[in-house]
């Protein structure tokens, strides 16, 4: 899979409704994964969206999620730029450059869902998410 760059929007509990709205606007295929499906079935967030991805016929990709407990959402500041794919060397190279002289919120390392993931803010204040998946054989 080629690397992909797209916006990632954080929502305060209404990610499902927002992503369904964007599907109505742009068309395409919407995949929704809840916190409950990811092993947090006995929590108040079980039905909230841990990750959503809309892929449109025009080639647009939009991702989003409900903000995890303990994190805040401020409209206007509720986005990141997402870099994802399976080219480990390429994506690690981007990570190193983006995080240099910036700040790292989540170190680039293996996560519970099996991918390598990290979050940083570059030196210009732009938040980035990098997700490296296993190559699809």
């Amino acid at each position: 899979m080629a690397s992909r760059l797209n916006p990632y929007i954080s929502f305060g509990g209404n990610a499902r409704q927002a992503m369904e709205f964007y599907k109505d606007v742009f068309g395409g295929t919407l995949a929704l994964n809840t916190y409950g499906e990811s092993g947090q079935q006995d929590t108040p967030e079980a039905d909230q969206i841990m990750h959503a991805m809309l892929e449109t016929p025009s080639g647009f990709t939009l991702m989003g999620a409900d903000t995890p407990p303990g994190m805040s959402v401020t409209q206007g500041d509720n986005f990141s730029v997402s870099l994802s794919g399976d080219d480990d060397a390429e994506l690690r190279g981007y990570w190193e450059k983006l995080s240099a002289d910036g700040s790292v919120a989540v170190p680039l390392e293996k996560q519970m869902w099996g991918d390598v993931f990290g979050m940083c803010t570059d030196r210009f204040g732009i938040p980035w998410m990098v997700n490296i998946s296993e190559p699809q054989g």
Side-chain angles (χ1 to χ4, degrees):
M1 150 181 28
S3 295
R4 166 190 330 229
L5 183 141
N6 60 271
Y8 201 110
I9 304 171
S10 297
F11 297 95
N14 60 349
R16 180 183 306 273
Q17 296 89 338
M19 294 301 291
E20 287 172 349
F21 168 75
Y22 298 134
K23 181 181 187 277
D24 288 344
V25 172
F26 298 111
T29 304
L30 176 61
L32 298 170
N33 301 96
T34 66
Y35 283 100
E37 294 166 337
S38 301
Q40 300 178 39
Q41 38 296 38
D42 297 326
T43 67
E45 298 79 31
D47 291 330
Q48 290 191 344
I49 302 302
M50 184 177 138
H51 178 72
M53 182 167 75
L54 174 64
E55 294 182 283
T56 74
S58 298
F60 303 154
T61 299
L62 181 62
M63 295 181 188
D66 284 311
T67 302
M71 296 181 72
S72 62
V73 177
T74 304
Q75 286 188 332
D77 292 339
N78 57 331
F79 79 96
S80 295
V81 181
S82 171
L83 274 169
S84 57
D86 59 14
D87 189 326
D88 188 90
E90 178 184 46
L91 291 164
R92 283 183 188 275
Y94 295 147
W95 171 264
E96 291 303 319
K97 292 174 184 172
L98 289 166
S99 62
D101 299 324
S103 63
V104 173
V106 176
L108 188 66
E109 57 191 22
K110 190 100 162 165
Q111 299 296 322
M112 65 182 240
W113 61 89
D115 294 351
V116 172
F117 174 82
M119 294 172 59
C120 69
T121 300
D122 71 22
R123 64 184 179 175
F124 298 103
I126 303 301
W128 293 85
M129 304 168 89
V130 175
N131 192 89
I132 306 168
S133 58
E134 291 294 319
Q136 304 300 311

